[in-house]
Amino acid sequence: MTVTISEFITQGEQSRLKHIASASTEADALAVLQDLLQQQDGKQYRLNTWVRPTTFLAVVAIPTAYHAGIDAVACTLTPISEHDDQQAAYDACKAYAASGQPHDAFMVVSSDVEQYSRLKSRLLESVQ
């Protein structure tokens, strides 16, 4: 969940919201808002709450080349499935590893992470 705190600004006949802060829980947002209201500056504030369910991608690193001179493996991150539960994504990674298919590592990527959308689009492309 993301809670944003905005200042309600009125200029003439026009009104707009100016972003002040964000918080991950309503309690944290209320604490920030309480601090703002204690300043008694006469401004109006507004709380907006967005609840976005977190999803998880099971991702494996598939080796593409071995570089013996530096003892390194080049890999391609390949998403294998999407889950509503972190443990289910982890279990999907373990099942992939147990299948004997080549892999160097695996990871679970949360929808809160920046690279999630790019990996999810690659997952959708592989399904089509």
Side-chain angles (χ1 to χ4, degrees):
M1 169 182 0
T2 302
V3 182
T4 62
I5 301 165
S6 302
E7 179 184 339
F8 192 74
I9 299 174
T10 303
Q11 294 172 329
E13 294 181 15
Q14 294 184 338
S15 298
R16 67 181 176 90
L17 293 176
K18 176 184 173 187
H19 176 78
I20 302 293
S22 295
S24 58
T25 66
E26 286 185 358
D28 292 343
L30 288 173
V32 171
L33 183 59
Q34 201 169 28
D35 288 343
L36 290 169
L37 292 174
Q38 286 178 354
Q39 295 174 12
Q40 298 180 353
D41 56 10
K43 296 178 181 176
Q44 295 179 25
Y45 298 99
R46 179 176 179 172
L47 290 181
N48 295 312
T49 304
W50 286 275
V51 177
R52 184 176 11 160
T54 302
T55 56
F56 302 89
L57 290 176
V59 180
V60 296
I62 298 176
T64 56
Y66 177 68
H67 304 282
I70 57 173
D71 196 26
V73 178
C75 295
T76 299
L77 292 179
T78 304
I80 53 175
S81 55
E82 182 178 26
H83 304 273
D84 293 333
D85 174 279
Q86 186 175 14
Q87 184 62 46
Y90 180 72
D91 291 343
C93 290
K94 289 193 314 187
Y96 185 92
S99 71
Q101 296 184 49
H103 70 285
D104 192 56
F106 61 87
M107 66 181 176
V108 173
V109 178
S110 164
S111 56
D112 300 340
V113 176
E114 187 176 317
Q115 70 201 89
Y116 178 88
S117 59
R118 184 173 43 88
L119 288 167
K120 184 169 180 179
S121 66
R122 289 177 60 194
L123 176 64
L124 295 173
E125 288 172 7
S126 69
V127 172
Q128 293 175 354

